[in-house]
Amino acid sequence: MNATPEAAPEAAPVAAPDAASGPARRHATLLHAPRYRGHSYGDNHPLGIPRVSLTIDLIEAYDAVTPGEMAVTRKAMPAELEWLHTRDYVTAMQRAEALGKVFQRYRDRHNIGNFENPFFAGFFSTPATATYGSIQGAEVVLEGGMAFNPAGGMHHAAPDQARGFCYFNDCALGIMRLRQRGARVLYLDIDAHHGDGVEAAFADDPDVLTVSLHMDTEYGYPFQGGRIEDTGRLGNAVNLPLPKETNDTEFHSAFSRIWEAARTRWQPDYVVVQAGTDALLPDPLGKFGISTQCFLACIDDVIETSPRHGDGTPKLLVLGGGGYHPLALARCWTGVWAQLTGRELPALLPEAGQALLREVDWDMDEEEEWYDNLFVSRLDADRSGPVRAELEQRLERLFRTHPLLRSAAGG
């Protein structure tokens, strides 16, 4: 790849990757737990919506999963959480759940029990279960499979604090499980928000590369870091902030250039992907405008080019993440699961799936022209467009200045 990215071709629609001649069936495990059907985060919180349960129900409406492909996960034990998190913080979370309240000293020190990271029933148990899902998913991958933990992807959590709706950093803990086997890991984050907690967790690990495409932190959480210049203490962090209203062509072009350069230069043993859906157009907290099929095209690229086990199965762990529009999220993650297992799903939602989505208490978009399509099709209208000079300039600067990508480009 040249140090200066080539000019983008004329805008063309991003094709849905699971149409026509799809891949053969692959072995993957879908991780879940009954507790995800319980209400969490409370009312009037962006995550107080059905996400994992809705996704699994939609997958089942497509008849796209077998019992043998599903695994129930348990709570992570304190000792496992303490691979990253402090004992004081883990204890505070446990005590708050047991006592049914958060002490003020815990609020002040650990940033819990507030609007950002509220107290709710299952305050410790629910995020601890989601966290073990990522550790368990790493174990599945180590044993020769792929895994999808839609409850995971809580990439902001810090060792001693909850941050950005994230209590435990399951992404980092899943990577740590891979690292316990001596694996070299590439972490790819396509959530609309910067994967700051994961980047910080591996700042001093020369065998973990973190790659994040996200909103400018000038207008999106965590409101700091994630700049092109933020390359990590060891040059093991790649960050590309994208402009507002990034379209399909822009997102996929930027993703493809960075993914190709990062994976070929880094040569990972395993890949971990945080697949938050808040970059999709309908998302109320994202500032982008991409379609479901653009998102899936990126995931398809990862599946097709990730390192392989001996039987050809990708060495890949996929996690959930952000996503604050339940209908857009469930449609998209259903597509992710189909890709991981090599299933070809029709774009038309099955009747049971349409009914399922219409039962969700969500009417924020009734005035939007694309609203009715959410209940009918798994895919969206084409959202390709021109690649703006602003994005080209950012890519040029990234490839010119980053030590890893500059080397990959031969500059």
Side-chain angles (χ1 to χ4, degrees):
M1 181 176 289
N2 296 325
T4 302
E6 297 177 1
E10 290 293 319
V14 178
D18 53 346
S21 56
R25 184 68 61 85
R26 306 183 183 97
H27 174 64
T29 298
L30 180 60
L31 296 149
H32 71 107
R35 68 169 43 255
Y36 302 142
R37 294 194 178 278
H39 191 63
S40 61
Y41 285 88
D43 297 327
N44 301 315
H45 189 280
L47 284 182
I49 56 174
R51 288 165 27 101
V52 178
S53 59
L54 186 63
T55 298
I56 291 176
D57 287 346
L58 187 57
I59 290 170
E60 290 180 333
Y62 266 109
D63 194 24
V65 65
T66 66
E69 292 174 307
M70 301 183 75
V72 176
T73 192
R74 62 166 172 83
K75 286 190 293 186
M77 296 183 291
E80 292 163 333
L81 296 170
E82 289 167 19
W83 295 348
L84 173 69
H85 296 285
T86 66
R87 181 163 298 178
D88 285 348
Y89 177 48
V90 173
T91 299
M93 292 287 294
Q94 289 179 294
R95 288 199 67 195
E97 178 172 288
L99 297 173
K101 63 180 180 180
V102 179
F103 293 125
Q104 188 61 47
R105 65 179 183 276
Y106 293 160
R107 294 175 190 266
D108 295 340
R109 178 173 177 179
H110 302 298
N111 195 33
I112 54 177
N114 49 28
F115 176 77
E116 178 185 338
N117 307 300
F119 178 83
F120 57 87
F123 181 63
F124 169 81
S125 296
T126 297
T129 301
T131 298
Y132 187 72
S134 294
I135 296 172
Q136 184 177 354
E139 292 172 350
V140 168
V141 176
L142 287 168
E143 294 306 313
M146 287 186 292
F148 181 28
N149 177 27
M154 301 292 104
H155 58 172
H156 296 307
D160 200 44
Q161 283 193 333
R163 291 183 183 172
F165 316 156
C166 305
Y167 298 95
F168 299 126
N169 198 318
D170 66 280
C171 309
L173 289 162
I175 294 170
M176 287 178 174
R177 182 68 186 92
L178 297 173
R179 292 289 297 118
Q180 289 170 5
R181 292 276 191 94
R184 186 171 173 86
V185 180
L186 193 161
Y187 170 78
L188 172 67
D189 193 316
I190 57 174
D191 189 290
H193 300 88
H194 176 224
D196 58 333
V198 186
E199 180 180 310
F202 298 101
D204 296 314
D205 190 332
D207 287 308
V208 177
L209 175 70
T210 62
V211 178
S212 179
L213 285 73
H214 48 263
M215 296 186 292
D216 266 313
T217 52
E218 293 179 2
Y219 59 82
Y221 190 90
F223 303 111
Q224 60 182 350
R227 303 169 303 165
I228 290 173
E229 295 76 17
D230 294 328
T231 61
R233 286 196 285 270
L234 305 177
N236 60 337
V238 176
N239 287 297
L240 180 66
L242 297 163
K244 289 183 179 180
E245 299 179 354
T246 292
N247 62 43
D248 281 0
T249 312
E250 291 175 317
F251 192 93
H252 193 257
S253 174
F255 166 83
S256 297
R257 299 179 199 184
I258 292 171
W259 167 247
E260 174 69 14
R263 71 173 181 80
T264 55
R265 181 62 181 172
W266 191 252
Q267 291 292 304
D269 298 315
Y270 295 89
V271 173
V272 177
V273 177
Q274 198 270 22
T277 65
D278 41 10
L280 299 176
L281 176 67
D283 196 276
L285 296 190
K287 306 294 183 183
F288 296 155
I290 75 168
S291 68
T292 297
Q293 52 267 39
C294 173
F295 188 102
L296 295 179
C298 295
I299 297 295
D300 191 60
D301 289 349
V302 174
I303 293 171
E304 293 303 318
T305 57
S306 286
R308 260 41 186 179
H309 295 288
D311 66 353
T313 300
K315 296 180 176 180
L316 178 62
L317 170 61
V318 180
L319 311 175
Y324 309 95
H325 191 296
L327 311 182
L329 175 145
R331 292 158 73 249
C332 188
W333 281 353
T334 295
V336 170
W337 172 249
Q339 288 177 303
L340 289 172
T341 58
R343 287 180 167 90
E344 299 177 11
L345 302 185
L348 181 67
L349 292 167
E351 290 187 9
Q354 294 185 33
L356 177 73
L357 297 185
R358 292 190 185 279
E359 290 173 1
V360 177
D361 183 16
W362 186 268
D363 58 4
M364 287 180 60
D365 315 306
E366 286 185 317
E367 301 302 317
E368 301 289 350
E369 62 180 15
W370 39 259
Y371 178 71
D372 289 339
N373 183 66
L374 293 173
F375 304 97
V376 177
S377 176
R378 189 172 52 80
L379 303 178
D380 304 316
D382 171 43
R383 290 172 188 146
S384 59
V387 177
R388 287 168 286 179
E390 177 184 6
L391 177 57
E392 290 286 4
Q393 290 163 4
R394 294 185 190 194
L395 282 164
E396 188 278 331
R397 182 153 51 99
L398 176 64
F399 278 84
R400 174 170 44 83
T401 61
H402 195 285
L404 181 74
L405 303 187
R406 183 177 64 235
S407 177

